[in-house]
Amino acid sequence: MSTHLVWLRNDLRINDNSALAAACSDKDAHVIALFIATPVQWQQHHMSPKQAVFIHQNLCHLQTALGERGIELVYHQCDDFSASVDYLCHVCEQHKVDQLFYNYQYEFNERQRDAAAEKRLDAQGVTCQGFDDSLLLPPGSVQTGSGEMFKVFTPFSKAFVKRLEQGMPECVHAPKARSGAPLKPAKAIPAFDYAAEDVDAALFPAGEEAALKKLRHFAKTAVVDYPAQRDLPALDSTSRLSAYLAIGVLSPRQCLHRVLTEHPDALKGGKAFTWINELIWREFYRHLLVAYPALCKHQPFVDWTRHVPWQTNTAHLTAWQQGKTGYPIVDAAMRQMHAQGWMHNRLRMITASFLVKDLLIDWREGERYFMQQLIDGDLAANNGGWQWAASTGTDAAPYFRIFNPTTQGERFDSEGAFIRQWLPELKNVPDSDIHQPHAWAKKNHKMLDYPAPIVDHKDARKKTLDAFEHARSVA
């Protein structure tokens, strides 16, 4: 009898899991699943404690779902990727595995790990099969007419949609119960040897069934209002599915097919396309990681921006991290992230712009800090977003485009509902003054337990423009 091993990583689901489905396609094979936690490596990659807890929660659900289908989940913890390859090879030898199935990861370190694993397992006589599972279309499959990766999103998106219309990526079914199913209840997976923070179960319920329920609800109702409401953080108008996509509890194919089931015109300009286009942004950044591996190494995409004279100001960085900059929309957003491990996308742009364009602090400081906080931390999307905001990336905002944090707040939280949710010290400030509370306090002889702005936006903008223009001149 053949023994097939499924090496699980960021694909913690039984539905539409390419590697799992392929491993189970031979109904007579003995199938085992393996998950290896690598806390030291996670720390090096700045994984947030909330994401680590969320992975553990979903892994426990997955263990049960696999057991019901007669598939044992082997769990192991070791320090890093090198040790994980050692243990993988040990499991293959111990269980006389003849075929390994896994879904690709596209980050540089992960690709090196997988190449090392395949080389060693090939020497052991194990056949390895990898799958492009976390994307709608494989990296390199959407290119310009000259055969290069797109560097601008809009033409990439148009070409991407054309590819989808030519052939839609299909979902695969969850494996059927195998001989011996269900297995006896397995020993509980121990908590990871990693910092832990509570995850709000109301916002991010664990488990594949909960994720699919959230997807169905969003696709049926909120997705049509998404174009009009997506930039308003006081409204619960986004899907919050990014946390599930980041660790693979959902696949992007499931998301696409569910939206198209409810809204068949979405790819032809229907209202639901705005959200599908966000899935395509996710694809864009992942395809870029493969085309330009230096992005995994904290390098700017636009070479001349290496010369920007970023400022080292610990007090300003700390104020930004703690939500004490004196700019209400920035501070409310940062406090939301601390509490929930998640931040509204418009606010990610505003807070990132403030760090790099108002404080002139290196975007890599912000990139790292977001990864340390976010439950949906994803290298490709996080790097892409930060380089966009910093004007250092592909298809980035021009360096002279600098968000005014006050007018951004006035535009997207006009009455201050979101600000008051996270800055209770401003609860008595009138709607009309919520974005400049100190001006109101001074005029009305009030005292506020809220910091004054740490920089003047007008002065900061000029300083930043000068810094970028200097960088261009010396490049």
Side-chain angles (χ1 to χ4, degrees):
M1 177 188 294
S2 294
T3 299
H4 295 176
L5 179 65
V6 184
W7 185 14
L8 298 165
R9 293 92 74 85
N10 62 340
D11 47 3
L12 305 182
R13 63 184 184 276
I14 60 169
N15 292 284
D16 194 33
N17 186 319
S18 302
L20 179 62
C24 294
S25 61
D26 180 351
K27 61 182 177 59
D28 295 321
H30 177 51
V31 179
I32 306 169
L34 171 67
F35 183 87
I36 306 172
T38 53
V40 172
Q41 194 87 37
W42 293 347
Q43 186 69 36
Q44 293 171 358
H45 291 174
H46 311 295
M47 181 189 286
S48 78
K50 277 186 167 60
Q51 186 172 72
V53 168
F54 198 52
I55 289 172
H56 183 267
Q57 292 174 344
N58 283 282
L59 188 63
C60 291
H61 280 270
L62 180 60
Q63 179 187 42
T64 299
L66 290 170
E68 290 171 350
R69 286 158 177 79
I71 301 172
E72 177 190 4
L73 174 62
V74 176
Y75 168 77
H76 180 70
Q77 176 176 298
C78 56
D79 285 346
D80 54 23
F81 285 169
S82 176
S84 72
V85 172
D86 292 339
Y87 188 75
L88 171 68
C89 294
H90 165 72
V91 169
C92 288
E93 183 176 9
Q94 179 185 28
H95 291 273
K96 296 181 172 55
V97 170
D98 47 27
Q99 292 191 60
L100 172 74
F101 300 81
Y102 70 98
N103 295 313
Y104 295 133
Q105 291 182 287
Y106 302 106
E107 298 85 356
F108 183 77
N109 292 148
E110 283 79 351
R111 292 174 73 190
Q112 284 191 313
R113 173 203 60 198
D114 293 350
E118 287 217 13
K119 183 177 180 180
R120 288 181 57 179
L121 289 175
D122 181 63
Q124 289 183 210
V126 178
T127 301
C128 300
Q129 295 187 46
F131 301 85
D132 287 298
D133 181 74
S134 67
L135 292 169
L136 294 171
L137 297 174
S141 64
V142 181
Q143 297 183 326
T144 66
S146 58
E148 298 178 344
M149 174 61 199
F150 284 93
K151 298 178 182 178
V152 178
F153 175 71
T154 299
F156 175 84
S157 177
K158 291 179 180 178
F160 198 96
V161 170
K162 286 183 179 179
R163 279 293 310 275
L164 291 179
E165 291 173 338
Q166 292 168 4
M168 195 70 62
E170 295 300 325
C171 295
V172 295
H173 294 294
K176 295 180 179 179
R178 306 183 71 77
S179 176
L183 302 180
K184 294 180 180 179
K187 182 180 178 181
I189 297 171
F192 303 144
D193 185 14
Y194 203 76
E197 291 183 7
D198 290 340
V199 172
D200 188 334
L203 294 176
F204 303 106
E208 198 169 345
E209 290 184 8
L212 289 168
K213 181 179 179 180
K214 285 175 71 72
L215 171 60
R216 286 191 292 268
H217 176 76
F218 179 78
K220 192 172 186 67
T221 56
V223 73
V224 295
D225 297 321
Y226 182 78
Q229 299 182 352
R230 64 176 179 155
D231 283 325
L232 306 177
L235 302 179
D236 185 19
S237 56
T238 62
S239 71
R240 294 184 191 263
L241 294 176
S242 54
Y244 300 93
L245 284 164
I247 65 172
V249 180
L250 286 177
S251 78
R253 293 177 298 279
Q254 290 173 301
C255 295
L256 177 65
H257 280 284
R258 174 47 54 184
V259 171
L260 290 177
T261 296
E262 299 290 348
H263 309 281
D265 66 338
L267 290 180
K268 301 186 182 299
K271 288 184 177 181
F273 178 71
T274 301
W275 190 75
I276 289 177
N277 210 35
E278 294 300 313
L279 290 178
I280 299 176
W281 268 107
R282 178 178 179 273
E283 300 273 319
F284 181 56
Y285 286 139
R286 289 200 170 202
H287 286 220
L288 280 168
L289 274 192
V290 177
Y292 302 98
L295 295 175
C296 295
K297 302 177 183 180
H298 312 294
Q299 299 302 310
F301 187 85
V302 179
D303 191 67
W304 67 263
T305 62
R306 297 173 189 273
H307 302 285
V308 175
W310 302 112
Q311 303 298 294
T312 301
N313 189 317
T314 302
H316 281 180
L317 177 60
T318 300
W320 175 81
Q321 291 172 339
Q322 295 180 350
K324 296 180 179 179
T325 68
Y327 286 89
I329 194 66
V330 173
D331 295 339
M334 296 301 289
R335 296 190 198 182
Q336 178 191 40
M337 181 170 67
H338 293 153
Q340 297 182 348
W342 182 87
M343 188 192 290
H344 189 281
N345 187 58
R346 167 57 58 174
L347 301 181
R348 297 189 195 205
M349 291 190 284
I350 293 172
T351 54
S353 178
F354 186 84
L355 183 73
V356 297
K357 299 288 180 68
D358 281 80
L359 303 183
L360 199 58
I361 290 176
D362 194 329
W363 57 272
R364 284 160 283 220
E365 293 280 3
E367 179 193 25
R368 177 167 53 250
Y369 189 70
F370 268 33
M371 286 297 288
Q372 292 170 343
Q373 301 295 322
L374 291 171
I375 194 172
D376 62 356
D378 173 277
L379 174 62
N382 191 50
N383 178 273
W386 273 97
Q387 293 222 44
W388 182 90
S391 304
T392 64
T394 179
D395 199 22
Y399 73 89
F400 47 81
R401 180 185 179 186
I402 300 177
F403 285 172
N404 182 318
T406 301
T407 57
Q408 287 285 306
E410 291 169 346
R411 181 178 178 185
F412 298 113
D413 190 33
S414 58
E415 297 179 356
F418 177 80
I419 289 171
R420 286 192 181 83
Q421 180 182 355
W422 297 104
L423 304 181
E425 58 266 47
L426 299 183
K427 64 181 180 181
N428 295 322
V429 180
D431 293 355
S432 58
D433 298 292
I434 193 68
H435 303 286
Q436 299 188 66
H438 287 286
W440 168 83
K442 182 177 180 180
K443 180 180 178 181
N444 293 278
H445 308 290
K446 301 287 188 179
M447 294 291 293
L448 284 178
D449 183 24
Y450 180 66
I454 58 175
V455 291
D456 177 83
H457 173 70
K458 184 178 179 181
D459 292 342
R461 183 178 187 277
K462 183 180 185 306
K463 183 178 180 180
T464 295
L465 289 175
D466 290 345
F468 273 78
E469 287 163 7
H470 168 76
R472 290 188 70 185
S473 70
V474 301

